[in-house]
Amino acid sequence: MSILAQNKFFFSEQKKFSSLSSHHHVHASPFPIFRTRVHCLATTTTTTTVKPKPNPDQLLVKPQLISPPSPVSIKARPVLDDPSLLSTWSHRAWVATGCTTVLTSLAKSIMVAANSHIWPEPILAGLVGYVLADLGSGVYHWGIDNYGHASTPIFGSQIEAFQGHHKWPWTITRRQFANNLHALARAVTFTVLPIGLVCDNPTVLSFVGVCSGCIMFSQQFHAWAHGTKSRLPPAVLALQDLGLLVSRSQHAAHHRPPYNNNYCIVSGVWNEFLDKHKVFEAMELVLFFKLGVRPRSWDEPNSDWTEDIDTPSQIIANS
């Protein structure tokens, strides 16, 4: 190519880039520009989400009626022929096992004491077991009255039964013997039986036998405290009058507002001391500040805690 042709090519290219710079802001260069097309071999996969078109009907705010929360379901009123008050063969078997366990422990204590000629210590241990059983019944009664609910593991059924007892206390007098004692009899069997098998100390066996026996029968003592005087056996009335079993008048105070006293249900000998010195109130404060749990006794009594004044005869007439 001649010099003239090269100059012509140079000025023509410069003119093209000058025209591009005026419209696209591309700076002209005095040297030829070589264009290279780069092909990208990497492929990418993209997912395109197609958004649905808005529905005009959905853009309108329609008023909705919000129903109030349903009230807490309350257990239906029991009737006299309620099957849940009857004893089953399983209940009877557990009560028989519990009684056998307690009697075996006491018999073994008497035999060992007779062979070793040691009597004061086992007798004293039995009296201590009797007194502490009343205290234990009060602590347990206070706990399931004030804490937990029907779905609480292990103790849920007893919690539900004791809380329902406040509304319909007469049901405990209609509950059959084994039905009333089987839960405690099962617990006594599993705890006392191993002790009776491995222990040969008459003092320990006497304490365990008397204490566990009183705890197992505490629900029966409780039932007698709700019985009418005309229906109770004379021996039971005599024991109640002597203060050896919890009396009807003493336990009646537990079912009156504020429902936070007279928890002990074996002999009731601890009730006056515990209530006078506000022992349970102090325990409630400790649990509240440590765990943040409020007892039910701090709330105003509601219909679940207030006794249904209908008598069994009225319930029969209404059913």
Side-chain angles (χ1 to χ4, degrees):
M1 182 182 295
S2 62
I3 297 176
L4 182 59
Q6 291 180 358
N7 292 336
K8 185 177 180 180
F9 173 78
F10 172 76
F11 287 112
S12 64
E13 293 295 325
Q14 185 177 15
K15 184 176 181 181
K16 291 179 181 179
F17 282 98
S18 297
S19 62
L20 288 172
S21 64
S22 62
H23 297 284
H24 302 282
H25 304 282
V26 179
H27 296 282
S29 175
F31 301 100
I33 298 176
F34 300 95
R35 296 180 180 179
T36 304
R37 179 174 294 177
V38 179
H39 297 276
C40 183
L41 297 179
T43 59
T44 58
T45 303
T46 58
T47 302
T48 304
T49 304
V50 180
K51 296 182 179 180
K53 295 182 180 180
N55 189 352
D57 296 336
Q58 295 178 350
L59 298 178
L60 298 177
V61 179
K62 297 180 181 180
Q64 296 180 352
L65 296 177
I66 302 176
S67 58
S70 58
V72 179
S73 60
I74 300 176
K75 190 176 179 181
R77 173 188 292 175
V79 294
L80 293 181
D81 57 351
D82 189 346
S84 66
L85 302 178
L86 303 178
S87 298
T88 65
W89 285 109
S90 174
H91 296 163
R92 297 184 181 97
W94 279 116
V95 171
T97 305
C99 292
T100 302
T101 302
V102 170
L103 291 176
T104 301
S105 178
L106 293 176
K108 189 175 180 179
S109 173
I110 294 174
M111 292 174 59
V112 175
N115 293 331
S116 58
H117 302 285
I118 300 176
W119 292 106
E121 291 85 352
I123 293 175
L124 181 60
L127 293 175
V128 172
Y130 163 74
V131 173
L132 291 183
D134 185 60
L135 177 61
S137 71
V139 173
Y140 187 77
H141 189 180
W142 161 78
I144 61 178
D145 261 7
N146 287 281
Y147 301 98
H149 41 77
S151 59
T152 300
I154 302 176
F155 304 102
S157 60
Q158 295 183 49
I159 292 173
E160 183 182 25
F162 266 77
Q163 292 174 5
H165 169 71
H166 277 266
K167 190 168 183 63
W168 300 291
W170 61 267
T171 57
I172 195 171
T173 64
R174 301 291 176 171
R175 192 177 294 276
Q176 291 186 351
F177 178 78
N179 183 297
N180 199 21
L181 302 185
H182 73 95
L184 292 172
R186 185 187 302 113
V188 166
T189 300
F190 284 116
T191 55
V192 177
L193 183 59
I195 298 175
L197 293 176
V198 301
C199 182
D200 292 326
N201 189 318
T203 303
V204 174
L205 291 172
S206 176
F207 170 83
V208 171
V210 173
C211 184
S212 61
C214 290
I215 289 175
M216 185 175 67
F217 281 92
S218 63
Q219 273 296 78
Q220 186 58 47
F221 304 155
H222 185 191
W224 286 335
H226 282 280
T228 57
K229 193 172 183 179
S230 60
R231 291 193 175 189
L232 293 177
V236 173
L237 292 174
L239 292 174
Q240 289 179 342
D241 293 339
L242 291 173
L244 299 178
L245 295 181
V246 60
S247 65
R248 301 178 308 282
S249 59
Q250 187 183 58
H251 186 67
H254 176 71
H255 288 269
R256 291 194 295 264
Y259 307 101
N260 62 353
N261 51 54
N262 290 278
Y263 287 104
C264 300
I265 56 175
V266 173
S267 64
V269 69
W270 281 94
N271 283 326
E272 182 178 358
F273 174 85
L274 295 173
D275 296 337
K276 181 179 179 181
H277 294 86
K278 301 185 183 301
V279 174
F280 290 121
E281 293 182 17
M283 293 169 64
E284 291 166 359
L285 289 173
V286 171
L287 291 177
F288 177 73
F289 287 112
K290 291 292 184 180
L291 303 177
V293 181
R294 287 174 55 90
R296 289 186 179 86
S297 61
W298 289 7
D299 299 327
E300 291 294 329
N302 54 30
S303 59
D304 291 339
W305 288 87
T306 305
E307 180 179 351
D308 193 331
I309 60 175
D310 287 351
T311 61
S313 59
Q314 291 174 319
I315 292 173
I316 294 175
N318 295 332
S319 60

